[in-house]
């Protein structure tokens, strides 16, 4: 996904274990990172979270979703200058 600074990015993970707590960590191109609170997976294994890119430098960001029962997914998105 690509969007301008200030955009709220929505993350959706499928395939987690039901009720598994999943934490999303966003790593920025400048070496900074943000880890949000754990989000429990639905009975169907769906987990959602969001991240607002306000004040973040433009570039490619990596988001890592890590579950307490072994689920792990990595994806990326781009924040573009306004």
């Amino acid at each position: 996904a690509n969007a301008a600074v200030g955009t709220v990015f929505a993350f959706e993970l499928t395939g987690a274990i039901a009720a598994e707590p999943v934490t999303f960590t966003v790593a920025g191109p400048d070496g900074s990172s943000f880890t949000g609170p754990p989000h429990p997976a639905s009975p169907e294994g769906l987990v959602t979270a969001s991240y607002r890119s306000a004040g973040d430098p433009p570039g490619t960001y990596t988001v890592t979703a890590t579950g307490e029962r072994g689920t792990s997914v990595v994806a990326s998105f781009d924040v573009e200058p306004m």
Side-chain angles (χ1 to χ4, degrees):
N2 299 342
V5 170
T7 298
V8 175
F9 288 87
F11 305 138
E12 182 175 289
L13 167 69
T14 59
I17 298 167
E20 178 180 22
V22 177
T23 302
F24 292 82
T25 299
V26 177
D30 61 355
S32 64
S33 67
F34 170 79
T35 300
H39 300 272
S42 71
E44 296 78 26
L46 175 68
V47 185
T48 60
S50 61
Y51 176 77
R52 180 179 303 276
S53 63
D56 293 338
T60 300
Y61 287 72
T62 301
V63 59
T64 304
T66 306
E68 292 182 7
R69 298 183 192 147
T71 298
S72 182
V73 177
V74 178
S76 64
F77 61 95
D78 293 319
V79 173
E80 300 172 345
M82 292 178 66

